[in-house]
């Protein structure tokens, strides 16, 4: 079951995941900006079998909020998707994105050690692969080829760089 919310992110109740594929309901999602010691961000390329945004790059961890908080969701998804757990802090919320689906996205950041980075593995059901990317390279790529990235990743990168929010992650 997934948390349904209204256009103001007020909790309405729980619905089966399949209901959200219709595009008629809004849900919540948690995203993670995971940085390594060199200040590179881990990205995942979504698996081709994913319903939403297959084959696009997204955050290192992305998860749909079930009957839980954004914080619990990101902790659970981190273990499921990349096999590690690091302390995170809430950065900001991206207003509802209605492109193909409706969702509020809360973005978190975390930093891992070199040793922890070596333990990262990806879930093949979620991602084809993961890779570390320089933040400036990601900023340029999102502008040049926006269709290669999920709407929430594009919105998050724009907020970080163009709205003077680099302090969030550095």
């Amino acid at each position: 079951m997934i948390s349904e919310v209204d256009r103001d992110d007020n909790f309405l109740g729980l619905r089966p995941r399949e209901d959200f594929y219709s595009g008629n309901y809004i849900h919540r999602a948690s995203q993670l900006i995971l940085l390594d010691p060199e200040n590179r961000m881990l990205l995942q390329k979504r698996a081709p079998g994913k319903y939403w945004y297959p084959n696009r790059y997204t955050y290192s961890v992305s998860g749909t909020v079930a009957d839980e908080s954004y914080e619990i969701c990101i902790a659970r998804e981190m273990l499921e998707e990349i096999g590690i757990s690091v302390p995170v802090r809430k950065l900001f919320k991206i207003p509802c994105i209605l492109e193909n689906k409706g969702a509020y996205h809360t973005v978190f950041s975390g930093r891992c050690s070199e040793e922890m980075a070596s333990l990262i593995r990806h879930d093949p059901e979620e991602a084809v692969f993961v890779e570390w990317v320089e933040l400036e390279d990601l900023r340029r790529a999102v502008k040049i080829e926006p269709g290669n990235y999920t709407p929430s990743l594009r919105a998050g990168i724009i907020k970080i760089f163009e709205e003077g929010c680099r302090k969030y992650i550095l």
Side-chain angles (χ1 to χ4, degrees), residues 92-165:
F92 50 79
K93 186 181 285 190
I94 298 171
C96 186
I97 296 174
L98 291 171
E99 185 182 320
N100 291 348
K101 62 174 184 157
Y104 278 92
H105 300 267
T106 297
V107 179
F108 295 84
S109 73
R111 188 171 295 278
C112 67
S113 65
E114 196 172 310
E115 179 183 350
M116 187 68 76
S118 70
L119 299 174
I120 290 173
R121 55 151 182 79
H122 70 279
D123 177 350
E125 289 184 22
E126 294 290 330
V128 177
F129 61 85
V130 294
E131 67 179 298
W132 295 100
V133 177
E134 295 287 338
L135 290 171
E136 280 296 328
D137 292 344
L138 179 57
R139 176 185 183 189
R140 282 190 292 278
V142 164
K143 285 184 175 185
I144 293 168
E145 298 180 277
N148 289 343
Y149 302 90
T150 62
S152 62
L153 179 64
R154 289 192 315 259
I157 295 303
I158 289 167
K159 183 169 185 70
I160 289 166
F161 285 96
E162 295 179 8
E163 294 182 17
C165 299

Side-chain angles (χ1 to χ4, degrees), residues 34-100:
L34 182 64
L35 300 172
D36 72 0
E38 297 175 34
N39 223 30
R40 296 177 302 171
M41 182 176 163
L42 185 67
L43 292 184
Q44 64 169 280
K45 184 165 185 184
R46 292 175 61 83
K50 296 298 287 179
Y51 184 81
W52 288 313
Y53 315 114
N55 298 312
R56 290 194 195 179
Y57 290 95
T58 193
Y59 295 92
S60 54
V61 174
S62 303
T64 304
V65 178
D67 186 14
E68 61 198 349
S69 67
Y70 285 107
E71 291 80 6
I72 291 172
C73 174
I74 202 64
R76 174 181 52 77
E77 291 285 349
M78 194 182 330
L79 285 170
E80 290 175 8
E81 290 187 19
I82 59 175
I84 66 167
S85 178
V86 299
V88 299
R89 68 183 176 114
K90 184 176 175 179
L91 298 181
F92 50 79
K93 186 181 285 190
I94 298 171
C96 186
I97 296 174
L98 291 171
E99 185 182 320
N100 291 348

Side-chain angles (χ1 to χ4, degrees), residues 9-20:
D9 197 23
N10 296 308
F11 180 77
L12 297 176
L14 297 172
R15 288 189 168 277
R17 176 178 291 275
E18 294 76 29
D19 287 0
F20 293 91

